[in-house]
């Protein structure tokens, strides 16, 4: 059995109540579902409402994944992406339970991804598509529409990248 390093640079103790980060996942989920409900209620499908010269609110339904990946397929992707969201949520929650005391950024990043995954999972299971409504554009070029869940996933992924680049250095 290998000995544990007890030097000052060794990994810190386990985080007390690591699942407390799930409040952030719940906040992303609630904000995502609320904004999608408002967009669905107040916006006409595919009719942009200009908010700023580079930003519209445009209600769209995405049966695929990011950037409408696989959206043109006959429907199997709904269940495929739902299964991925469930597996990711379970896996990330297990990872969260194992966090060390100094891995606060990692806890927040995991929670953001979980909240976003659950928000889009809700749409896939209820509607068969994900509700998107945030649309940025410039000079005739349109970035694919997205939603609050996508923002959570993106911010969480950025946090995971930062943690992977700086986390080991910080713990040394």
């Amino acid at each position: 059995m290998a000995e544990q390093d007890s030097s000052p640079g060794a990994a810190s103790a386990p985080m007390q109540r690591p699942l407390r980060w799930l409040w952030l996942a719940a906040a992303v989920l609630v904000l995502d579902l609320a904004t999608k409900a408002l967009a669905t209620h107040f916006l006409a499908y595919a009719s942009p409402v200009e908010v700023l010269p580079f930003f519209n609110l445009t209600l769209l339904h995405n049966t695929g994944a990011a950037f409408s990946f696989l959206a043109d397929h006959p429907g199997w992707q709904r269940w495929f992406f739902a299964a991925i969201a469930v597996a990711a949520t379970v896996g990330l929650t297990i990872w969260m339970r194992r966090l060390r005391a100094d891995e606060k950024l990692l806890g927040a990043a995991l929670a953001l991804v979980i909240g976003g995954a659950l928000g889009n999972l809700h749409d896939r299971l209820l509607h068969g598509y994900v509700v998107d409504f945030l649309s940025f554009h410039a000079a005739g070029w349109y970035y694919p529409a997205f939603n609050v869940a996508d923002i959570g996933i993106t911010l969480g992924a950025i946090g995971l990248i930062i943690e992977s680049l700086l986390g080991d250095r910080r713990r040394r």
Side-chain angles (χ1 to χ4, degrees), residues 25 28-29 32 36 81-82 84-90 92 110-124 130 147-150 152-153:
V28 170
L29 177 61
D32 179 60
K36 287 175 180 174
F81 293 130
I84 288 173
V86 169
T89 299
V90 169
L92 295 177
L110 294 173
L112 288 167
V113 174
I114 290 168
L118 291 175
N120 285 340
L121 174 64
H122 172 271
D123 283 6
R124 286 189 199 290
V130 172
N147 57 46
V148 172
D150 298 332
I153 292 168

Side-chain angles (χ1 to χ4, degrees), residues 95-158:
W95 186 1
M96 186 182 286
R97 290 191 59 190
R98 298 177 180 169
L99 291 178
R100 310 297 291 173
D102 63 340
E103 295 178 314
K104 292 174 181 62
L105 174 60
L106 182 55
L110 294 173
L112 288 167
V113 174
I114 290 168
L118 291 175
N120 285 340
L121 174 64
H122 172 271
D123 283 6
R124 286 189 199 290
L125 295 179
L126 187 65
H127 307 298
Y129 54 80
V130 172
V131 174
D132 289 326
F133 61 93
L134 301 171
S135 176
F136 286 87
H137 56 89
W141 176 84
Y142 284 78
Y143 188 80
F146 58 98
N147 57 46
V148 172
D150 298 332
I151 294 170
I153 292 168
T154 301
L155 291 176
I158 291 168

Side-chain angles (χ1 to χ4, degrees), residues 34-106:
T35 56
K36 287 175 180 174
L38 289 169
T40 300
H41 182 76
F42 289 109
L43 299 174
Y45 186 80
S47 297
V49 174
E50 184 175 326
V51 177
L52 296 169
F54 57 88
F55 174 65
N56 297 340
L57 295 176
T58 308
L59 179 64
L60 297 171
H61 300 157
N62 182 0
T63 57
F67 307 105
S68 296
F69 177 67
L70 298 178
D72 56 349
H73 287 262
W76 61 265
Q77 72 276 20
R78 172 186 186 181
W79 304 110
F80 176 70
F81 293 130
I84 288 173
V86 169
T89 299
V90 169
L92 295 177
T93 303
I94 291 169
W95 186 1
M96 186 182 286
R97 290 191 59 190
R98 298 177 180 169
L99 291 178
R100 310 297 291 173
D102 63 340
E103 295 178 314
K104 292 174 181 62
L105 174 60
L106 182 55

